[in-house]
């Protein structure tokens, strides 16, 4: 019983839930987790964690797959040697942060989780994971003391301080290594020494083509050695790879043959940067390595890809890439066809739900609509012939003279016609809002909301006008039969045949003038009430009562402000009786009503129109949204497949296509490897991925 009461309460009042783990993240966890037989808890080991974030079938020629085990120490917040679903969700949320790469590195060294990195913990972890033959780094140097303090005044590093230190670390490592190999102190080192420096400090970020030809850097000058200026220029160039990529793309696009020279590169750099960031030596280095196989000096995107794309391995990959492009093109064509079919089916689905919801809303308020029509058709200048004093008097007389069923005179054609009318209105509004909304966020500029609503109102007139003219004539014939003897009661089919096709669209201009502003007011108001007043969002689902209230409130200004056009439409569409003025056009009707009955006549039936339109659209919209949740578009609820993606996608001229969380895992490792390329590598002969962090601090856990 309690369950039923809870379900009813949720349906009426809505639900609010805490942000949940995405279906994709949960599916990834379920696919790799194992069950603890004692507690029945699902968990990941270090090995299964690596399988989840670094699939075995990917290419890891830059960052070895086993090095991803470092990230397990970040995900294992409790130091238990396993991670549960909550730990995995926390790690996924961390990856979703805009600065995830640096925060992952920070958490790795924040042993106690205090929000600061202690120098002793940092030093121990660094020493445990650096290679035995790595180029030494002096943490007591002047540069390091600026971040961690001198020997006697060490201080903890906050997250901003730590991340900024990592940002400049690679440059300091290169500087110290240069001094180590510059034994003569003359500012030059051997090409082999330069190659070793770059392999140890930046191997994980550079292409194989660049790494294989590092020793040729000496050829850009007349000597056989490499100067510190050469080293610094090289380091500046690889640090600005993304900007280099942008400059090259722009320059090659402007070139007739798709090739550029060193001069073209520097000119384009000057155009798109506030200050020219590239020195002549830096440009020389770029063109030297990109032009090793093309000595003409005019280079294409393919030549630069060998330098900029860290995933570049060898020439045969370009042929493989061409096949992949052709395959992608065919795939895109198929996807385009599927997308068109999906859009057609989605429109049909919206149309069907809108039809049902529209008929439901119309039936619920039809008696009010009948009263509204008879009040608007009553002409006040006919003294002694006023049938109804007000809306309540109208209801009483209809029931007394025509019976209760008289309140539903003409309801059948109304239900038949209102289905496509409301369906097309809801469908058009939904489609235009979707097309004009921001992808991902769903936000829409308010003029676009008005445009979507107004367009929906304009489209519905095709169905609205014939429906309205038949409905109105059926609604008023009851009062004619009461006052004039011998008048036969006409059917809807007789009225349609008598009017003809053109007659069915009599008063269409007034109908358009009413429905366009009505929808332009109604739909934006309804959506803002749901979002801004009732707080609908990703984590809060509104109940039926809240949807009804939002729809009813939105309908009030929309209905009342468009009443003058509704009065004019009604007068144009009702067949004039003997002695009554016959209106010839919208302007003639408006001027005649104003002259004979005054300004107040334009708002006749206004309250009844509010009482009818407001609840009708409330029922219609609420019904539409409930139906969407009960009968979703087939296929719209399917879970996304577990994404793997390439863990080593192109980062230069080729866009990375892997999911963003996995790209950030890789980029976080690149930052960590700036400390030492051996971080995370197995320590032989133990064969473990790295020495566990918990042994350094106060946390428990196996060593």
């Amino acid at each position: 019983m309690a369950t039923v009461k809870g379900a009813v309460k949720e349906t009426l009042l809505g639900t609010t839930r805490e942000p949940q783990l995405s279906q994709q993240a949960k599916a990834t966890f379920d696919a790799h987790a194992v069950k603890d037989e004692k507690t029945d808890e699902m968990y990941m080991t270090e090995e299964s964690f690596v399988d989840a974030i670094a699939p075995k079938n990917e290419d890891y020629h830059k960052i070895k797959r086993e090095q991803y085990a470092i990230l397990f120490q970040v995900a294992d917040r409790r130091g238990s040697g396993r991670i549960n679903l909550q730990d995995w969700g926390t790690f996924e949320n961390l990856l979703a942060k805009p600065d995830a790469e640096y925060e992952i590195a920070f958490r790795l060294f924040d042993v106690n989780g205090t929000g600061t990195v202690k120098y002793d913990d940092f030093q121990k972890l660094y020493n445990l994971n650096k290679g035995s033959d790595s180029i030494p780094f002096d943490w007591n140097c002047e540069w390091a003391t600026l971040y961690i303090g001198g020997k006697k005044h060490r201080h903890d590093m906050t997250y901003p301080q730590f991340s900024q230190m990592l940002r400049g670390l690679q440059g300091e490592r290169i500087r110290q290594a240069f001094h180590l190999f510059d034994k003569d102190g003359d500012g030059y080192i051997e090409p082999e020494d330069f190659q070793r420096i770059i392999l140890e400090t930046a191997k994980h970020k550079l292409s194989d083509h660049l790494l294989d030809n590092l020793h040729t850097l000496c050829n850009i000058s007349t000597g056989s050695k490499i100067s510190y200026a050469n080293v610094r220029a090289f380091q500046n160039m690889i640090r600005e790879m993304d900007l280099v990529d942008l400059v090259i793309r722009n320059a090659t696009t402007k070139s007739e043959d798709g090739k550029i020279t060193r001069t073209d590169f520097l000119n384009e750099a000057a155009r798109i940067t506030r200050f020219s960031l590239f020195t002549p030596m830096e440009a020389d280095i770029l063109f030297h390595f990109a032009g090793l196989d093309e000595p003409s000096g005019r280079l294409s995107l393919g030549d630069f890809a060998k330098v900029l794309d860290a995933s570049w391995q060898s020439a045969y990959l370009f042929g493989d890439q061409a096949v992949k492009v052709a395959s992608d093109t065919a795939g895109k064509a198929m996807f385009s066809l599927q997308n068109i079919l999906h859009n057609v089916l989605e429109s049909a689905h919206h149309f069907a739900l809108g039809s049902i919801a529209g008929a439901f809303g119309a039936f619920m308020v039809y008696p009010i609509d009948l009263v509204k029509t008879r009040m608007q058709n009553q002409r006040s200048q006919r003294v002694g012939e006023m049938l109804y004093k007000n809306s309540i008097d109208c209801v009483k007389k209809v029931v007394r003279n025509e019976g209760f069923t008289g309140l539903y005179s003409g309801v059948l054609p109304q239900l038949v016609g209102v289905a496509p009318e409301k369906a097309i209105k809801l469908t058009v509004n939904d489609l235009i809002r979707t097309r004009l909304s921001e992808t991902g966020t769903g936000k829409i500029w308010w003029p676009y909301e008005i445009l979507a609503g107004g367009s929906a109102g304009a489209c519905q007139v095709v169905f609205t006008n014939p429906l309205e003219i038949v409905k109105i004539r059926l609604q008023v014939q009851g009062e004619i039969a009461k006052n004039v003897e011998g008048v036969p009661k006409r059917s809807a089919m007789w009225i349609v045949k008598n009017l003809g096709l053109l007659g069915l669209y009599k008063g269409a201009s007034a109908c358009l003038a009413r429905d366009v502003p009505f929808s332009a007011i109604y739909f934006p108001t309804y959506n803002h009430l749901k979002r801004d007043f009732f707080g609908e969002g990703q984590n809060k689902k509104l109940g039926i009562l809240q949807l009804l209230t939002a729809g009813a409130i939105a309908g009030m200004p929309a209905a009342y402000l468009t009443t003058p056009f509704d009065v004019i439409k009604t007068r144009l569409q009702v067949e004039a009786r003997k002695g009554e003025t016959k209106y010839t056009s919208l302007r003639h009707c408006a001027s005649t009503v104003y002259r004979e009955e005054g300004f107040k006549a334009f708002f006749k039936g206004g309250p009844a129109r509010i009482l009818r339109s407001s609840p009708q659209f409330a029922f219609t919209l609420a019904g539409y949204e409930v139906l969407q949740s009960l009968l979703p578009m087939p296929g719209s609820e399917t879970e996304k497949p577990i994404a793997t993606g390439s863990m080593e996608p192109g980062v230069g001229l080729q866009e990375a296509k892997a999911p963003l969380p996995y790209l950030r895992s890789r980029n976080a490792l690149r930052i960590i490897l700036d400390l030492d390329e051996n971080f995370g590598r197995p320590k032989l002969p133990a064969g473990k991925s790295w020495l566990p962090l918990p042994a350094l601090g106060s946390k428990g856990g196996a060593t």
Side-chain angles (χ1 to χ4, degrees):
M1 185 65 180
T3 305
V4 175
K5 287 177 65 178
V8 172
K9 183 178 179 181
E10 286 184 3
T11 303
L12 293 175
L13 302 179
T15 57
T16 302
R17 59 180 176 82
E18 294 299 320
Q20 299 293 314
L21 189 64
S22 70
Q23 292 297 319
Q24 181 177 337
K26 190 175 186 306
T28 304
F29 180 84
D30 291 340
H32 296 91
V34 294
K35 182 184 287 188
D36 188 323
E37 298 299 334
K38 295 181 179 179
T39 63
D40 287 337
E41 182 185 41
M42 300 295 291
Y43 68 92
M44 279 186 185
T45 61
E46 182 179 295
E47 182 179 358
S48 57
F49 174 82
V50 174
D51 289 340
I53 66 170
K56 293 179 180 179
N57 60 336
E58 304 292 354
D59 179 15
Y60 299 97
H61 79 285
K62 286 298 168 193
I63 301 175
K64 300 305 177 187
R65 185 170 177 271
E66 59 267 18
Q67 291 180 281
Y68 282 80
I70 296 176
L71 303 183
F72 181 80
Q73 304 298 324
V74 178
D76 182 19
R77 300 173 301 158
R78 296 166 292 127
S80 61
R82 59 169 64 179
I83 61 172
N84 57 24
L85 181 60
Q86 187 176 359
D87 296 329
W88 174 254
T90 302
F91 182 72
E92 283 276 330
N93 289 336
L94 173 60
L95 289 178
K97 289 187 174 183
D99 57 344
E101 296 86 346
Y102 281 99
E103 189 161 345
I104 287 173
F106 177 77
R107 292 194 184 190
L108 181 68
F109 289 93
D110 180 14
V111 176
N112 298 313
T114 59
T116 58
V117 172
K118 297 184 181 299
Y119 172 75
D120 290 340
D121 292 338
F122 174 80
Q123 191 66 46
K124 288 177 183 177
L125 185 55
Y126 171 78
N127 290 333
L128 284 170
N129 287 277
K130 73 174 184 176
S132 57
D133 58 347
S134 297
I135 298 174
F137 183 81
D138 181 15
W139 287 99
N140 293 312
C141 68
E142 184 178 354
W143 176 88
T145 58
L146 295 174
Y147 291 97
I148 59 178
K151 286 184 178 181
K152 296 181 180 180
H153 303 284
R154 299 291 190 200
H155 61 78
D156 300 342
M157 284 182 284
T158 62
Y159 170 56
Q161 292 170 338
F162 180 81
S163 56
Q164 200 61 45
M165 182 201 72
L166 289 182
R167 171 75 171 159
L169 179 62
Q170 189 179 65
E172 179 61 19
R173 286 186 67 197
I174 291 174
R175 188 192 68 81
Q176 288 193 23
F178 186 92
H179 278 296
L180 179 68
F181 290 112
D182 181 18
K183 295 180 174 59
D184 298 334
D186 60 355
Y188 289 90
I189 58 175
E190 297 294 334
E192 295 75 19
D193 295 330
F194 168 71
Q195 189 169 23
R196 183 184 173 189
I197 292 172
I198 299 303
L199 285 174
E200 286 201 21
T201 59
K203 179 182 178 181
H204 54 289
K205 293 181 176 180
L206 305 178
S207 70
D208 288 355
H209 170 81
L210 203 54
L211 296 174
D212 292 342
N213 293 283
L214 286 172
H215 61 280
T216 66
L217 182 61
C218 62
N219 294 333
I220 70 167
S221 57
T222 55
S224 61
K225 290 188 175 184
I226 295 175
S227 69
Y228 182 68
N230 296 146
V231 175
R232 180 56 67 182
F234 180 86
Q235 199 257 334
N236 289 345
M237 185 59 68
I238 63 175
R239 189 176 61 184
E240 299 293 343
M241 282 292 196
D242 291 333
L243 182 57
V244 171
D245 179 12
L246 177 62
V247 173
I248 291 172
R249 283 178 185 274
N250 281 18
T252 53
T253 301
K254 296 176 182 178
S255 172
E256 292 182 359
D257 60 355
K259 295 183 177 182
I260 61 171
T261 63
R262 173 182 176 277
T263 302
D264 296 329
F265 173 80
L266 289 173
N267 288 340
E268 188 61 29
R271 288 190 190 99
I272 67 174
T273 58
R274 181 166 295 184
F275 306 102
S276 183
L277 296 179
F278 302 107
T279 65
M281 183 179 287
E282 290 166 1
D284 288 340
I285 289 173
L286 173 64
F287 275 76
H288 164 72
F289 285 109
L292 287 174
D293 300 323
E294 183 58 56
S296 67
R298 288 187 62 81
L299 306 180
S300 65
L301 281 174
D303 298 316
F304 289 110
K306 294 183 292 186
V307 176
L308 300 178
D309 189 354
S311 67
W312 193 95
Q313 296 182 61
S314 57
Y316 81 87
L317 288 182
F318 287 106
D320 181 62
Q321 183 66 22
V323 174
K324 189 174 181 182
V325 169
S327 176
D328 287 347
T329 302
K332 286 178 180 177
M334 179 59 71
F335 176 78
S336 178
L337 178 60
Q338 291 175 342
N339 196 38
I340 292 172
L341 292 174
H342 179 270
N343 287 339
V344 171
L345 291 174
E346 186 179 34
S347 298
H349 177 257
H350 286 325
F351 197 88
L353 298 186
S355 298
I356 298 171
F360 171 70
F363 183 82
M364 295 295 288
V365 299
Y366 191 81
I368 303 175
D369 185 54
L370 181 134
V371 172
K372 184 261 320 178
T373 300
R374 294 199 178 183
M375 289 296 297
Q376 287 181 339
N377 188 51
Q378 184 172 252
R379 307 199 184 190
S380 59
Q381 81 273 18
R382 297 204 310 264
V383 181
E385 295 186 24
M386 295 284 289
L387 294 178
Y388 316 115
K389 298 176 182 177
N390 50 46
S391 296
I392 296 175
D393 182 54
C394 181
V395 173
K396 291 178 180 178
K397 288 181 178 178
V398 169
V399 173
R400 183 171 65 246
N401 297 330
E402 304 170 45
F404 181 78
T405 56
L407 293 172
Y408 283 91
S409 297
V411 70
L412 288 180
Q414 168 76 348
L415 295 182
V416 172
V418 82
E421 174 210 332
K422 292 295 183 288
I424 197 169
K425 174 185 282 193
L426 295 171
T427 301
V428 170
N429 179 69
D430 270 3
L431 289 177
I432 296 179
R433 281 185 69 92
T434 301
R435 296 294 181 272
L436 298 179
S437 298
E438 293 179 10
T439 305
T441 64
K443 292 182 179 178
I444 183 172
W445 189 34
W446 66 267
Y448 288 162
E449 290 186 279
I450 295 174
L451 175 63
S455 300
C459 291
Q460 79 171 57
V461 173
V462 176
F463 294 98
T464 303
N465 209 80
L467 164 70
E468 293 263 329
I469 196 167
V470 174
K471 178 197 71 173
I472 286 171
R473 295 199 175 190
L474 286 172
Q475 287 178 338
V476 299
Q477 72 175 352
E479 64 183 25
I480 297 174
K482 181 69 180 174
N483 293 309
V484 183
E485 293 184 5
V487 177
K489 199 168 185 179
R490 307 297 187 182
S491 67
M493 290 303 299
W494 186 92
I495 294 173
V496 171
K497 289 179 181 178
N498 186 57
L499 286 171
L501 182 61
L502 292 177
L504 287 172
Y505 284 92
K506 186 178 181 181
S509 56
C511 195
L512 196 67
R514 179 198 66 177
D515 289 345
V516 170
F518 180 95
S519 297
I521 295 170
Y522 182 82
F523 283 110
T525 305
Y526 174 70
N527 283 285
H528 279 280
L529 282 169
K530 287 197 303 175
R531 186 179 69 242
D532 301 332
F533 186 77
F534 291 105
E536 183 184 46
Q538 187 176 0
N539 300 317
K540 183 176 181 180
K541 179 183 176 183
L542 299 186
I544 294 175
L545 291 180
Q546 292 162 315
L547 294 174
L548 285 172
T549 304
I553 295 173
M556 291 177 184
Y560 193 75
L561 293 175
T562 56
T563 298
F565 294 109
D566 193 50
V567 170
I568 294 170
K569 179 195 69 66
T570 300
R571 296 290 180 90
L572 285 170
Q573 292 179 337
V574 171
E575 190 174 4
R577 305 170 198 169
K578 280 186 178 182
E580 293 181 342
T581 303
K582 188 173 183 179
Y583 305 116
T584 58
S585 66
L586 187 150
R587 179 178 295 181
H588 175 253
C589 179
S591 60
T592 303
V593 170
Y594 180 73
R595 185 176 61 255
E596 294 180 353
E597 304 174 53
F599 182 74
K600 288 184 178 180
F602 287 112
F603 287 91
K604 278 185 176 181
R609 181 166 160 76
I610 291 175
L611 289 174
R612 191 270 295 178
S613 296
S614 181
Q616 178 182 355
F617 275 88
F619 281 119
T620 300
L621 266 294
Y624 182 65
E625 299 205 22
V626 170
L627 285 171
Q628 280 186 317
S629 62
L630 294 177
L631 302 170
M633 172 76 179
S636 63
E637 297 293 318
T638 56
E639 292 183 1
K640 296 180 181 178
I642 299 173
T644 55
S646 173
M647 300 309 295
E648 281 291 342
V651 293
L653 298 174
Q654 179 182 334
E655 183 182 356
K657 295 182 175 63
L660 193 58
Y662 299 112
L663 294 176
R664 284 188 164 148
S665 296
R666 182 205 61 197
N667 292 340
L669 280 176
R670 285 182 168 168
I671 292 173
I672 294 169
L673 294 180
D674 282 348
L675 287 162
D676 193 283
E677 65 163 344
N678 293 290
F679 261 75
R681 287 191 174 177
K683 301 293 183 181
L684 298 175
K688 294 184 179 179
S689 62
W690 75 321
L691 295 178
L693 179 61
L696 297 176
S698 58
K699 290 183 181 180
T703 58

